[in-house]
Amino acid sequence: MSENKLDRMRKILSKLEDIKNTQESSIDKINHVITDLFQHPDAKLEKVMEDAHQRASDNVDMVREAINEYQERVNKLTPEA
């Protein structure tokens, strides 16, 4: 396996981690809005935030699975030192 290909694969892993972290940050922000809505209820906005939270959570799960699978592929291609 060429070192160039492994480097490209590792860069993709890094980008996948960034995507996961961004989604997790979005979940945090959504949670803050949901918390604020306890004090100032808005049923319509609560529903939107609940849906957004679920979608972001699903995205984190999908990206995490992709990271794990891709990491396994990288590990198999990495020569043992």
Side-chain angles (χ1 to χ4, degrees):
M1 178 62 44
S2 79
E3 194 60 36
N4 278 346
K5 183 171 182 174
L6 279 172
D7 285 342
R8 284 193 310 269
M9 291 176 81
R10 288 180 183 124
K11 286 178 184 176
I12 289 171
L13 272 174
S14 178
K15 290 176 184 177
L16 289 169
E17 284 289 341
D18 286 344
I19 292 168
K20 182 179 70 70
N21 292 340
T22 298
Q23 288 296 311
E24 289 173 339
S25 177
S26 293
I27 291 170
D28 268 353
K29 291 174 185 175
I30 291 167
N31 283 336
H32 283 97
V33 172
I34 290 171
T35 300
D36 290 345
L37 289 171
F38 287 137
Q39 295 176 353
H40 307 285
D42 182 316
K44 219 176 204 181
L45 188 53
E46 287 172 23
K47 175 67 175 137
V48 170
M49 290 296 96
E50 288 170 8
D51 291 348
H53 187 281
Q54 184 60 55
R55 288 179 182 154
S57 295
D58 292 345
N59 287 341
V60 168
D61 291 342
M62 286 188 304
V63 173
R64 185 177 293 124
E65 288 174 24
I67 289 169
N68 290 339
E69 178 186 314
Y70 203 70
Q71 182 66 61
E72 287 178 22
R73 290 169 48 199
V74 169
N75 291 347
K76 287 179 182 176
L77 297 174
T78 303
E80 294 185 28

